[in-house]
Amino acid sequence: MSSAGERLPVVVLISGRGSNLRAIVEKAQAGTLPVEVRAVVSDRPDAAGLEWARSRGLRTASLAPQQFSDRERYDEALAALVASFEPGLVVLAGFMRILGPAFVDRFVGRMLNIHPSLLPRHRGLHTHRRVLEAGERDHGASVHFVTRELDGGPVVLQARVPVRDGDDEASLAARVLEQEHRIYPAAVGWFAAGRLRYAQGAAWLDGQRLDRAVVIEASDDIAA
Ligand code: GAR
């Protein structure tokens, strides 16, 4: 927990484009999000987001799984690398590898993820396609604490978007992504301000146990 005026040290993990990373870094560098991005770490040395991070003067590192004999050794090495930056919060932002206990247990309670669905609906991959195939009329994104259960940790904040007639995967993904860029910095800001925490297997906001996530509609303002 950080007190007024301090910036929470954060490490962001990415695998690709890094647009959620960008949403967070831009607010941090503008002084509207009280975090210091200590490093951006990727499992893919060619992740486009790493190049962007370097252009913003951020420290970057990558660790490719191919260099390790098994998943557990990789997770241990990744955990050691991330821990070396002494983060108060680990932010998974499009990190597309499943993290095992060797990693998760080390950061539980101080690790968030963003997932492109209204959890608990549609854990895993291809969420936009699955929403369209199921004929659902709403969709969205969720920020949640990471636990051992894949996409199953306590959900903190969700944005709901409508599914429109004529939507395809790309149009729906774009509408959801726009909301990801709003809710992820907001939830990270809550954590950095000491308003959001993880205890007893649950998320707590302003001292209240969140039995259900805070849900915003695409048109709502988010209370800072
Ligand atoms: C985002 O849509 C994020 O929700 C999703 O990957 C994309 C990354 O985009 N994450 C997952 O699917 C995690 N299971 P970005 O690299 O532009 O932030």
Side-chain angles (χ1 to χ4, degrees), residues 16-21 93-96 113-116 124 151 177 180:
R17 148 186 79 178
S19 71
N20 279 287
L21 162 74
F95 188 73
M96 300 309 283
N113 180 42
I114 188 147
H115 182 77
D151 299 330
L177 192 64
E180 294 185 33

Side-chain angles (χ1 to χ4, degrees), residues 73-106:
R73 286 207 172 76
Y74 178 76
D75 281 359
E76 282 167 5
L78 185 67
L81 174 64
V82 170
S84 73
F85 299 111
E86 302 185 345
L89 179 68
V90 176
V91 173
L92 304 184
F95 188 73
M96 300 309 283
R97 269 186 72 84
I98 295 174
L99 293 164
F103 190 93
V104 172
D105 292 355
R106 196 139 167 198

Side-chain angles (χ1 to χ4, degrees), residues 71-196:
R71 182 177 287 275
E72 199 177 336
R73 286 207 172 76
Y74 178 76
D75 281 359
E76 282 167 5
L78 185 67
L81 174 64
V82 170
S84 73
F85 299 111
E86 302 185 345
L89 179 68
V90 176
V91 173
L92 304 184
F95 188 73
M96 300 309 283
R97 269 186 72 84
I98 295 174
L99 293 164
F103 190 93
V104 172
D105 292 355
R106 196 139 167 198
F107 299 105
V108 76
R110 49 195 180 101
M111 177 155 56
L112 293 171
N113 180 42
I114 188 147
H115 182 77
S117 79
L118 293 172
L119 290 170
R121 275 151 59 181
H122 306 299
R123 296 179 184 183
L125 298 175
H126 309 302
T127 58
H128 311 301
R129 186 188 311 166
R130 283 152 62 202
V131 163
L132 290 169
E133 281 170 1
E136 293 170 17
R137 300 310 297 168
D138 64 351
H139 185 31
S142 306
V143 179
H144 66 95
F145 279 106
V146 177
T147 61
R148 283 185 177 199
E149 194 183 346
L150 180 65
D151 299 330
V155 184
V156 173
L157 180 58
Q158 294 181 314
R160 193 196 323 270
V161 304
V163 179
R164 301 216 175 108
D165 294 340
D167 262 335
D168 57 15
E169 262 183 85
S171 63
L172 192 52
R175 192 172 314 120
V176 169
L177 192 64
E178 197 181 319
Q179 298 305 314
E180 294 185 33
H181 299 162
R182 300 177 69 215
I183 62 174
Y184 214 3
V188 168
W190 289 349
F191 190 92
R195 295 179 56 194
L196 174 67

